[in-house]
Amino acid sequence: MSPDATGEAGGGGGGGGDLFAANLKGSLLAVASSAFIGVSFIVKKKGLLRAGAAGSRAGVGGYGYLLEPLWWVGMVTMLVGEIANFIAYMFAPAVLVTPLGALSIIVSAVLAHFTLNEKLQRVGVLGCVLCIVGSTVIILHAPQERTPSSVDEIWHLAIQPDFLCYATAAVAVSLFLMIYCAPRYGQMNIMVYVGICSVIGSLTVMSIKAVGIAIKLTIEGINQAGYFQTWLFAVISITCITVQLVYLNKALDTFNTAVVSPIYYAMFTTLTILASAIMFKDWSGQSASKIASEICGFLTVLAGTLVLHSTREPDQTLSADLYAPLPPKIYWHIQGNGDIGKQKEDDSLPCDIITVMRQDYFV
């Protein structure tokens, strides 16, 4: 055996130990990140509720939560979690770190059950488990990603026809949801607000990665500030994060936190993997078994999403433009002595009353 080979063999145990230690650090950081992010959902929700009690709710376009200290505590908590998650990727591979993000769903669901009185039913627990399992299957069988070495390389990947089509479709869908669907169905359908966050989030990850590479290369001595692509990706990142923040606040203010968290996680993870695979051409060369596993994972996520959506508790707070439904037929009458009473449909009406019948809703 040559000396070089002997050295490699002798260092194999140390390399394996270093890899285990690095994976352990990454795992602990990812778990801590999930805990912080899960707690931030609850703290932000309590801040939104407190701000909504004093003024316009975020769900109907209010921004009073920006003056609520508790909401900012939640934002700082989420920022700490995101920083821990970013550092975790420095120690462990994405295939290990990303699935652990599902723990934030469990944290937020449990805390919402005890602190916000948002009851998570047994069927809802099943839907949560399906979302976690399906997303984990997708992540574990996702294609390997080639790491770009410069911002200019990412720019060339971003202007490929395939990714341009995806980005155009993502922006078009988001605008349709924001302009048409949100004013009409945002208060009734959880998929509107969460869909906007998830679609825009997939673009956020792509731009954030470019900014991160630029910062890393600049620290290493290869200045990337002179490239206009760096600043363009930074502007895109800030814009996308702002949109995500606004509509995530709307979703948390309108719907059950225990339902928002897993649906957002499942959709965001799926679309991010899809965007990354299109942009970095990672689908080429995959085996049929891996593709089948990814399809099964997606179907599992879809099933879990449907189960969670079907068990959502109706929100008790009504906005200014929503009416509480009453029975389909109510007869109101004014009796002859001036007293106001209500007559049932099957009762006979006396001749000295005025009857008003409405088939829809009453204000």
Side-chain angles (χ1 to χ4, degrees), residues 172-218:
V173 170
S174 299
L175 290 176
F176 174 75
L177 291 175
M178 287 187 286
I179 297 175
Y180 181 81
C181 295
R184 295 170 174 81
Y185 311 111
Q187 295 287 321
M188 298 176 290
N189 194 329
I190 191 174
M191 302 303 290
V192 175
Y193 292 153
V194 177
I196 295 172
C197 295
S198 302
V199 175
I200 293 296
S202 65
L203 300 179
T204 302
V205 173
M206 301 299 104
S207 56
I208 282 291
K209 182 168 185 175
V211 175
I213 292 176
I215 294 175
K216 179 182 177 182
L217 292 175
T218 302

mmCIF file of all heavy atoms in Angstrom, residues 172-218:
data_model
loop_
_atom_site.group_PDB
_atom_site.id
_atom_site.type_symbol
_atom_site.label_atom_id
_atom_site.label_comp_id
_atom_site.label_asym_id
_atom_site.label_seq_id
_atom_site.Cartn_x
_atom_site.Cartn_y
_atom_site.Cartn_z
ATOM 1 N N ALA A 172 -47.571 35.124 -12.085
ATOM 2 C CA ALA A 172 -48.940 35.253 -12.595
ATOM 3 C C ALA A 172 -49.949 34.656 -11.617
ATOM 4 O O ALA A 172 -50.993 35.274 -11.330
ATOM 5 C CB ALA A 172 -49.054 34.568 -13.957
ATOM 6 N N VAL A 173 -49.648 33.481 -11.092
ATOM 7 C CA VAL A 173 -50.551 32.845 -10.118
ATOM 8 C C VAL A 173 -50.665 33.698 -8.860
ATOM 9 O O VAL A 173 -51.760 33.887 -8.305
ATOM 10 C CB VAL A 173 -50.055 31.425 -9.786
ATOM 11 C CG1 VAL A 173 -50.822 30.848 -8.596
ATOM 12 C CG2 VAL A 173 -50.212 30.515 -10.989
ATOM 13 N N SER A 174 -49.540 34.217 -8.396
ATOM 14 C CA SER A 174 -49.550 35.043 -7.186
ATOM 15 C C SER A 174 -50.376 36.310 -7.384
ATOM 16 O O SER A 174 -51.161 36.691 -6.513
ATOM 17 C CB SER A 174 -48.121 35.404 -6.784
ATOM 18 O OG SER A 174 -47.363 34.248 -6.510
ATOM 19 N N LEU A 175 -50.193 36.973 -8.525
ATOM 20 C CA LEU A 175 -50.975 38.176 -8.806
ATOM 21 C C LEU A 175 -52.460 37.865 -8.909
ATOM 22 O O LEU A 175 -53.305 38.633 -8.427
ATOM 23 C CB LEU A 175 -50.475 38.835 -10.094
ATOM 24 C CG LEU A 175 -49.092 39.489 -10.034
ATOM 25 C CD1 LEU A 175 -48.689 40.009 -11.405
ATOM 26 C CD2 LEU A 175 -49.067 40.607 -9.001
ATOM 27 N N PHE A 176 -52.803 36.740 -9.520
ATOM 28 C CA PHE A 176 -54.212 36.337 -9.616
ATOM 29 C C PHE A 176 -54.795 36.097 -8.234
ATOM 30 O O PHE A 176 -55.923 36.534 -7.934
ATOM 31 C CB PHE A 176 -54.332 35.066 -10.471
ATOM 32 C CG PHE A 176 -55.719 34.499 -10.514
ATOM 33 C CD1 PHE A 176 -56.712 35.095 -11.276
ATOM 34 C CD2 PHE A 176 -56.036 33.355 -9.791
ATOM 35 C CE1 PHE A 176 -58.004 34.575 -11.318
ATOM 36 C CE2 PHE A 176 -57.313 32.825 -9.826
ATOM 37 C CZ PHE A 176 -58.299 33.436 -10.591
ATOM 38 N N LEU A 177 -54.030 35.416 -7.371
ATOM 39 C CA LEU A 177 -54.517 35.159 -6.015
ATOM 40 C C LEU A 177 -54.638 36.453 -5.218
ATOM 41 O O LEU A 177 -55.613 36.637 -4.470
ATOM 42 C CB LEU A 177 -53.568 34.198 -5.299
ATOM 43 C CG LEU A 177 -53.550 32.751 -5.808
ATOM 44 C CD1 LEU A 177 -52.485 31.949 -5.088
ATOM 45 C CD2 LEU A 177 -54.914 32.088 -5.625
ATOM 46 N N MET A 178 -53.676 37.367 -5.387
ATOM 47 C CA MET A 178 -53.686 38.604 -4.615
ATOM 48 C C MET A 178 -54.765 39.575 -5.089
ATOM 49 O O MET A 178 -55.435 40.218 -4.271
ATOM 50 C CB MET A 178 -52.308 39.266 -4.681
ATOM 51 C CG MET A 178 -51.238 38.561 -3.869
ATOM 52 S SD MET A 178 -49.666 39.463 -3.811
ATOM 53 C CE MET A 178 -49.055 39.168 -5.474
ATOM 54 N N ILE A 179 -54.927 39.707 -6.412
ATOM 55 C CA ILE A 179 -55.830 40.719 -6.955
ATOM 56 C C ILE A 179 -57.271 40.223 -7.025
ATOM 57 O O ILE A 179 -58.207 40.961 -6.669
ATOM 58 C CB ILE A 179 -55.343 41.162 -8.353
ATOM 59 C CG1 ILE A 179 -53.961 41.820 -8.245
ATOM 60 C CG2 ILE A 179 -56.342 42.125 -8.992
ATOM 61 C CD1 ILE A 179 -53.349 42.169 -9.591
ATOM 62 N N TYR A 180 -57.476 38.987 -7.463
ATOM 63 C CA TYR A 180 -58.837 38.493 -7.673
ATOM 64 C C TYR A 180 -59.350 37.646 -6.512
ATOM 65 O O TYR A 180 -60.443 37.891 -5.988
ATOM 66 C CB TYR A 180 -58.898 37.679 -8.965
ATOM 67 C CG TYR A 180 -60.281 37.139 -9.264
ATOM 68 C CD1 TYR A 180 -61.246 37.953 -9.854
ATOM 69 C CD2 TYR A 180 -60.618 35.822 -8.958
ATOM 70 C CE1 TYR A 180 -62.517 37.473 -10.123
ATOM 71 C CE2 TYR A 180 -61.886 35.330 -9.220
ATOM 72 C CZ TYR A 180 -62.832 36.149 -9.797
ATOM 73 O OH TYR A 180 -64.082 35.671 -10.049
ATOM 74 N N CYS A 181 -58.562 36.661 -6.101
ATOM 75 C CA CYS A 181 -59.061 35.691 -5.115
ATOM 76 C C CYS A 181 -59.052 36.221 -3.689
ATOM 77 O O CYS A 181 -59.999 35.979 -2.926
ATOM 78 C CB CYS A 181 -58.236 34.406 -5.194
ATOM 79 S SG CYS A 181 -58.388 33.517 -6.758
ATOM 80 N N ALA A 182 -57.992 36.922 -3.298
ATOM 81 C CA ALA A 182 -57.875 37.366 -1.907
ATOM 82 C C ALA A 182 -59.028 38.250 -1.447
ATOM 83 O O ALA A 182 -59.591 38.017 -0.367
ATOM 84 C CB ALA A 182 -56.534 38.074 -1.699
ATOM 85 N N PRO A 183 -59.446 39.271 -2.225
ATOM 86 C CA PRO A 183 -60.565 40.090 -1.752
ATOM 87 C C PRO A 183 -61.890 39.327 -1.676
ATOM 88 O O PRO A 183 -62.762 39.684 -0.880
ATOM 89 C CB PRO A 183 -60.642 41.210 -2.805
ATOM 90 C CG PRO A 183 -59.320 41.213 -3.482
ATOM 91 C CD PRO A 183 -58.876 39.790 -3.484
ATOM 92 N N ARG A 184 -62.057 38.285 -2.492
ATOM 93 C CA ARG A 184 -63.338 37.573 -2.555
ATOM 94 C C ARG A 184 -63.359 36.329 -1.669
ATOM 95 O O ARG A 184 -64.385 36.050 -1.036
ATOM 96 C CB ARG A 184 -63.632 37.166 -4.005
ATOM 97 C CG ARG A 184 -63.854 38.339 -4.935
ATOM 98 C CD ARG A 184 -63.901 37.898 -6.391
ATOM 99 N NE ARG A 184 -64.251 38.978 -7.308
ATOM 100 C CZ ARG A 184 -63.399 39.876 -7.757
ATOM 101 N NH1 ARG A 184 -62.129 39.821 -7.383
ATOM 102 N NH2 ARG A 184 -63.797 40.834 -8.562
ATOM 103 N N TYR A 185 -62.270 35.581 -1.645
ATOM 104 C CA TYR A 185 -62.287 34.280 -0.968
ATOM 105 C C TYR A 185 -61.223 34.151 0.114
ATOM 106 O O TYR A 185 -61.134 33.098 0.756
ATOM 107 C CB TYR A 185 -62.060 33.160 -1.999
ATOM 108 C CG TYR A 185 -62.927 33.274 -3.221
ATOM 109 C CD1 TYR A 185 -62.388 33.584 -4.474
ATOM 110 C CD2 TYR A 185 -64.311 33.095 -3.145
ATOM 111 C CE1 TYR A 185 -63.183 33.703 -5.601
ATOM 112 C CE2 TYR A 185 -65.110 33.217 -4.263
ATOM 113 C CZ TYR A 185 -64.537 33.510 -5.493
ATOM 114 O OH TYR A 185 -65.333 33.624 -6.599
ATOM 115 N N GLY A 186 -60.409 35.187 0.339
ATOM 116 C CA GLY A 186 -59.332 35.084 1.310
ATOM 117 C C GLY A 186 -59.797 34.787 2.718
ATOM 118 O O GLY A 186 -59.134 34.056 3.460
ATOM 119 N N GLN A 187 -60.955 35.335 3.107
ATOM 120 C CA GLN A 187 -61.474 35.124 4.448
ATOM 121 C C GLN A 187 -62.138 33.762 4.617
ATOM 122 O O GLN A 187 -62.403 33.345 5.754
ATOM 123 C CB GLN A 187 -62.497 36.220 4.792
ATOM 124 C CG GLN A 187 -61.912 37.610 4.877
ATOM 125 C CD GLN A 187 -61.081 37.821 6.121
ATOM 126 O OE1 GLN A 187 -61.431 37.346 7.197
ATOM 127 N NE2 GLN A 187 -59.969 38.518 5.998
ATOM 128 N N MET A 188 -62.399 33.054 3.514
ATOM 129 C CA MET A 188 -63.116 31.782 3.593
ATOM 130 C C MET A 188 -62.255 30.581 3.219
ATOM 131 O O MET A 188 -62.487 29.477 3.710
ATOM 132 C CB MET A 188 -64.354 31.834 2.675
ATOM 133 C CG MET A 188 -65.365 32.902 3.056
ATOM 134 S SD MET A 188 -66.732 33.004 1.881
ATOM 135 C CE MET A 188 -65.902 33.693 0.448
ATOM 136 N N ASN A 189 -61.276 30.773 2.346
ATOM 137 C CA ASN A 189 -60.458 29.667 1.845
ATOM 138 C C ASN A 189 -59.012 29.866 2.264
ATOM 139 O O ASN A 189 -58.346 30.817 1.848
ATOM 140 C CB ASN A 189 -60.565 29.582 0.315
ATOM 141 C CG ASN A 189 -60.020 28.271 -0.230
ATOM 142 O OD1 ASN A 189 -59.104 27.690 0.334
ATOM 143 N ND2 ASN A 189 -60.603 27.815 -1.326
ATOM 144 N N ILE A 190 -58.509 28.962 3.089
ATOM 145 C CA ILE A 190 -57.160 29.083 3.624
ATOM 146 C C ILE A 190 -56.093 28.964 2.543
ATOM 147 O O ILE A 190 -54.981 29.479 2.685
ATOM 148 C CB ILE A 190 -56.935 28.006 4.715
ATOM 149 C CG1 ILE A 190 -55.647 28.278 5.491
ATOM 150 C CG2 ILE A 190 -56.920 26.616 4.110
ATOM 151 C CD1 ILE A 190 -55.447 27.350 6.658
ATOM 152 N N MET A 191 -56.430 28.305 1.425
ATOM 153 C CA MET A 191 -55.441 28.068 0.381
ATOM 154 C C MET A 191 -55.044 29.346 -0.351
ATOM 155 O O MET A 191 -53.997 29.379 -1.013
ATOM 156 C CB MET A 191 -55.971 27.038 -0.620
ATOM 157 C CG MET A 191 -56.352 25.697 0.000
ATOM 158 S SD MET A 191 -54.993 24.940 0.889
ATOM 159 C CE MET A 191 -53.918 24.506 -0.458
ATOM 160 N N VAL A 192 -55.854 30.409 -0.241
ATOM 161 C CA VAL A 192 -55.542 31.653 -0.952
ATOM 162 C C VAL A 192 -54.313 32.314 -0.335
ATOM 163 O O VAL A 192 -53.297 32.532 -1.006
ATOM 164 C CB VAL A 192 -56.748 32.609 -0.921
ATOM 165 C CG1 VAL A 192 -56.379 33.950 -1.559
ATOM 166 C CG2 VAL A 192 -57.927 31.995 -1.667
ATOM 167 N N TYR A 193 -54.390 32.647 0.952
ATOM 168 C CA TYR A 193 -53.265 33.311 1.611
ATOM 169 C C TYR A 193 -52.033 32.404 1.663
ATOM 170 O O TYR A 193 -50.906 32.846 1.377
ATOM 171 C CB TYR A 193 -53.658 33.724 3.025
ATOM 172 C CG TYR A 193 -54.692 34.823 3.094
ATOM 173 C CD1 TYR A 193 -55.555 34.941 4.181
ATOM 174 C CD2 TYR A 193 -54.804 35.754 2.068
ATOM 175 C CE1 TYR A 193 -56.503 35.944 4.252
ATOM 176 C CE2 TYR A 193 -55.751 36.765 2.119
ATOM 177 C CZ TYR A 193 -56.604 36.856 3.224
ATOM 178 O OH TYR A 193 -57.533 37.856 3.279
ATOM 179 N N VAL A 194 -52.233 31.145 2.044
ATOM 180 C CA VAL A 194 -51.105 30.220 2.162
ATOM 181 C C VAL A 194 -50.507 29.942 0.783
ATOM 182 O O VAL A 194 -49.289 29.783 0.642
ATOM 183 C CB VAL A 194 -51.542 28.917 2.850
ATOM 184 C CG1 VAL A 194 -50.393 27.919 2.903
ATOM 185 C CG2 VAL A 194 -52.029 29.214 4.259
ATOM 186 N N GLY A 195 -51.335 29.894 -0.247
ATOM 187 C CA GLY A 195 -50.839 29.685 -1.600
ATOM 188 C C GLY A 195 -49.930 30.817 -2.053
ATOM 189 O O GLY A 195 -48.881 30.583 -2.679
ATOM 190 N N ILE A 196 -50.303 32.057 -1.736
ATOM 191 C CA ILE A 196 -49.460 33.196 -2.082
ATOM 192 C C ILE A 196 -48.106 33.089 -1.384
ATOM 193 O O ILE A 196 -47.051 33.265 -2.002
ATOM 194 C CB ILE A 196 -50.164 34.512 -1.699
ATOM 195 C CG1 ILE A 196 -51.435 34.703 -2.540
ATOM 196 C CG2 ILE A 196 -49.226 35.702 -1.886
ATOM 197 C CD1 ILE A 196 -52.293 35.860 -2.102
ATOM 198 N N CYS A 197 -48.139 32.786 -0.082
ATOM 199 C CA CYS A 197 -46.881 32.656 0.673
ATOM 200 C C CYS A 197 -45.996 31.554 0.095
ATOM 201 O O CYS A 197 -44.776 31.703 0.008
ATOM 202 C CB CYS A 197 -47.188 32.361 2.139
ATOM 203 S SG CYS A 197 -48.023 33.677 3.023
ATOM 204 N N SER A 198 -46.595 30.436 -0.287
ATOM 205 C CA SER A 198 -45.816 29.294 -0.754
ATOM 206 C C SER A 198 -45.215 29.538 -2.124
ATOM 207 O O SER A 198 -44.035 29.239 -2.362
ATOM 208 C CB SER A 198 -46.708 28.044 -0.779
ATOM 209 O OG SER A 198 -47.244 27.779 0.497
ATOM 210 N N VAL A 199 -46.004 30.071 -3.052
ATOM 211 C CA VAL A 199 -45.511 30.317 -4.407
ATOM 212 C C VAL A 199 -44.412 31.369 -4.393
ATOM 213 O O VAL A 199 -43.343 31.193 -4.991
ATOM 214 C CB VAL A 199 -46.668 30.731 -5.333
ATOM 215 C CG1 VAL A 199 -46.134 31.110 -6.709
ATOM 216 C CG2 VAL A 199 -47.684 29.607 -5.463
ATOM 217 N N ILE A 200 -44.668 32.474 -3.698
ATOM 218 C CA ILE A 200 -43.650 33.518 -3.594
ATOM 219 C C ILE A 200 -42.434 33.002 -2.824
ATOM 220 O O ILE A 200 -41.284 33.354 -3.121
ATOM 221 C CB ILE A 200 -44.229 34.764 -2.904
ATOM 222 C CG1 ILE A 200 -45.309 35.401 -3.798
ATOM 223 C CG2 ILE A 200 -43.141 35.773 -2.613
ATOM 224 C CD1 ILE A 200 -44.788 35.938 -5.114
ATOM 225 N N GLY A 201 -42.679 32.125 -1.844
ATOM 226 C CA GLY A 201 -41.578 31.584 -1.049
ATOM 227 C C GLY A 201 -40.589 30.783 -1.872
ATOM 228 O O GLY A 201 -39.383 30.793 -1.584
ATOM 229 N N SER A 202 -41.081 30.074 -2.880
ATOM 230 C CA SER A 202 -40.160 29.313 -3.730
ATOM 231 C C SER A 202 -39.211 30.232 -4.484
ATOM 232 O O SER A 202 -38.034 29.897 -4.697
ATOM 233 C CB SER A 202 -40.956 28.450 -4.719
ATOM 234 O OG SER A 202 -41.691 29.252 -5.640
ATOM 235 N N LEU A 203 -39.689 31.410 -4.881
ATOM 236 C CA LEU A 203 -38.815 32.393 -5.526
ATOM 237 C C LEU A 203 -37.890 33.063 -4.512
ATOM 238 O O LEU A 203 -36.760 33.425 -4.840
ATOM 239 C CB LEU A 203 -39.657 33.454 -6.236
ATOM 240 C CG LEU A 203 -40.603 32.948 -7.339
ATOM 241 C CD1 LEU A 203 -41.382 34.110 -7.941
ATOM 242 C CD2 LEU A 203 -39.833 32.205 -8.424
ATOM 243 N N THR A 204 -38.382 33.208 -3.282
ATOM 244 C CA THR A 204 -37.551 33.796 -2.232
ATOM 245 C C THR A 204 -36.305 32.966 -1.988
ATOM 246 O O THR A 204 -35.190 33.499 -1.855
ATOM 247 C CB THR A 204 -38.349 33.922 -0.925
ATOM 248 O OG1 THR A 204 -39.516 34.712 -1.146
ATOM 249 C CG2 THR A 204 -37.509 34.575 0.158
ATOM 250 N N VAL A 205 -36.474 31.640 -1.918
ATOM 251 C CA VAL A 205 -35.343 30.763 -1.643
ATOM 252 C C VAL A 205 -34.289 30.877 -2.742
ATOM 253 O O VAL A 205 -33.081 30.917 -2.471
ATOM 254 C CB VAL A 205 -35.813 29.304 -1.486
ATOM 255 C CG1 VAL A 205 -34.626 28.359 -1.375
ATOM 256 C CG2 VAL A 205 -36.706 29.172 -0.269
ATOM 257 N N MET A 206 -34.739 30.917 -3.995
ATOM 258 C CA MET A 206 -33.786 31.016 -5.097
ATOM 259 C C MET A 206 -32.983 32.318 -5.032
ATOM 260 O O MET A 206 -31.765 32.327 -5.246
ATOM 261 C CB MET A 206 -34.526 30.947 -6.437
ATOM 262 C CG MET A 206 -35.338 29.671 -6.664
ATOM 263 S SD MET A 206 -34.362 28.166 -6.654
ATOM 264 C CE MET A 206 -34.795 27.507 -5.025
ATOM 265 N N SER A 207 -33.654 33.433 -4.725
ATOM 266 C CA SER A 207 -32.947 34.712 -4.664
ATOM 267 C C SER A 207 -32.089 34.823 -3.410
ATOM 268 O O SER A 207 -30.984 35.383 -3.452
ATOM 269 C CB SER A 207 -33.951 35.869 -4.723
ATOM 270 O OG SER A 207 -34.917 35.761 -3.682
ATOM 271 N N ILE A 208 -32.580 34.287 -2.293
ATOM 272 C CA ILE A 208 -31.801 34.324 -1.054
ATOM 273 C C ILE A 208 -30.519 33.520 -1.221
ATOM 274 O O ILE A 208 -29.451 33.891 -0.709
ATOM 275 C CB ILE A 208 -32.633 33.772 0.114
ATOM 276 C CG1 ILE A 208 -33.635 34.813 0.588
ATOM 277 C CG2 ILE A 208 -31.740 33.341 1.263
ATOM 278 C CD1 ILE A 208 -33.012 36.007 1.274
ATOM 279 N N LYS A 209 -30.591 32.406 -1.927
ATOM 280 C CA LYS A 209 -29.401 31.593 -2.149
ATOM 281 C C LYS A 209 -28.356 32.385 -2.933
ATOM 282 O O LYS A 209 -27.154 32.313 -2.639
ATOM 283 C CB LYS A 209 -29.765 30.322 -2.899
ATOM 284 C CG LYS A 209 -28.570 29.408 -3.123
ATOM 285 C CD LYS A 209 -29.005 28.051 -3.584
ATOM 286 C CE LYS A 209 -27.819 27.114 -3.681
ATOM 287 N NZ LYS A 209 -28.206 25.746 -4.019
ATOM 288 N N ALA A 210 -28.792 33.136 -3.935
ATOM 289 C CA ALA A 210 -27.853 33.955 -4.706
ATOM 290 C C ALA A 210 -27.198 35.013 -3.830
ATOM 291 O O ALA A 210 -25.986 35.244 -3.913
ATOM 292 C CB ALA A 210 -28.597 34.609 -5.873
ATOM 293 N N VAL A 211 -28.002 35.656 -2.976
ATOM 294 C CA VAL A 211 -27.435 36.667 -2.073
ATOM 295 C C VAL A 211 -26.461 36.024 -1.095
ATOM 296 O O VAL A 211 -25.396 36.581 -0.796
ATOM 297 C CB VAL A 211 -28.571 37.390 -1.318
ATOM 298 C CG1 VAL A 211 -27.994 38.360 -0.292
ATOM 299 C CG2 VAL A 211 -29.465 38.143 -2.298
ATOM 300 N N GLY A 212 -26.814 34.840 -0.581
ATOM 301 C CA GLY A 212 -25.928 34.150 0.347
ATOM 302 C C GLY A 212 -24.590 33.790 -0.280
ATOM 303 O O GLY A 212 -23.533 33.940 0.352
ATOM 304 N N ILE A 213 -24.623 33.321 -1.527
ATOM 305 C CA ILE A 213 -23.372 33.007 -2.227
ATOM 306 C C ILE A 213 -22.546 34.269 -2.433
ATOM 307 O O ILE A 213 -21.314 34.259 -2.295
ATOM 308 C CB ILE A 213 -23.674 32.316 -3.568
ATOM 309 C CG1 ILE A 213 -24.255 30.925 -3.325
ATOM 310 C CG2 ILE A 213 -22.428 32.223 -4.433
ATOM 311 C CD1 ILE A 213 -24.671 30.206 -4.580
ATOM 312 N N ALA A 214 -23.214 35.380 -2.758
ATOM 313 C CA ALA A 214 -22.489 36.643 -2.946
ATOM 314 C C ALA A 214 -21.802 37.073 -1.656
ATOM 315 O O ALA A 214 -20.642 37.517 -1.667
ATOM 316 C CB ALA A 214 -23.454 37.723 -3.426
ATOM 317 N N ILE A 215 -22.502 36.954 -0.538
ATOM 318 C CA ILE A 215 -21.908 37.334 0.750
ATOM 319 C C ILE A 215 -20.732 36.416 1.087
ATOM 320 O O ILE A 215 -19.662 36.874 1.538
ATOM 321 C CB ILE A 215 -22.974 37.285 1.863
ATOM 322 C CG1 ILE A 215 -24.051 38.359 1.607
ATOM 323 C CG2 ILE A 215 -22.336 37.487 3.229
ATOM 324 C CD1 ILE A 215 -25.211 38.301 2.578
ATOM 325 N N LYS A 216 -20.911 35.118 0.867
ATOM 326 C CA LYS A 216 -19.847 34.163 1.169
ATOM 327 C C LYS A 216 -18.594 34.437 0.333
ATOM 328 O O LYS A 216 -17.468 34.457 0.852
ATOM 329 C CB LYS A 216 -20.350 32.745 0.917
ATOM 330 C CG LYS A 216 -19.311 31.671 1.170
ATOM 331 C CD LYS A 216 -19.866 30.302 0.851
ATOM 332 C CE LYS A 216 -18.790 29.230 1.033
ATOM 333 N NZ LYS A 216 -19.306 27.875 0.678
ATOM 334 N N LEU A 217 -18.780 34.657 -0.972
ATOM 335 C CA LEU A 217 -17.639 34.930 -1.844
ATOM 336 C C LEU A 217 -16.955 36.249 -1.488
ATOM 337 O O LEU A 217 -15.726 36.362 -1.553
ATOM 338 C CB LEU A 217 -18.094 34.948 -3.304
ATOM 339 C CG LEU A 217 -18.552 33.607 -3.886
ATOM 340 C CD1 LEU A 217 -19.091 33.801 -5.299
ATOM 341 C CD2 LEU A 217 -17.413 32.599 -3.886
ATOM 342 N N THR A 218 -17.758 37.243 -1.101
ATOM 343 C CA THR A 218 -17.180 38.537 -0.721
ATOM 344 C C THR A 218 -16.329 38.403 0.535
ATOM 345 O O THR A 218 -15.248 39.000 0.637
ATOM 346 C CB THR A 218 -18.296 39.570 -0.500
ATOM 347 O OG1 THR A 218 -19.070 39.701 -1.705
ATOM 348 C CG2 THR A 218 -17.711 40.923 -0.132
#
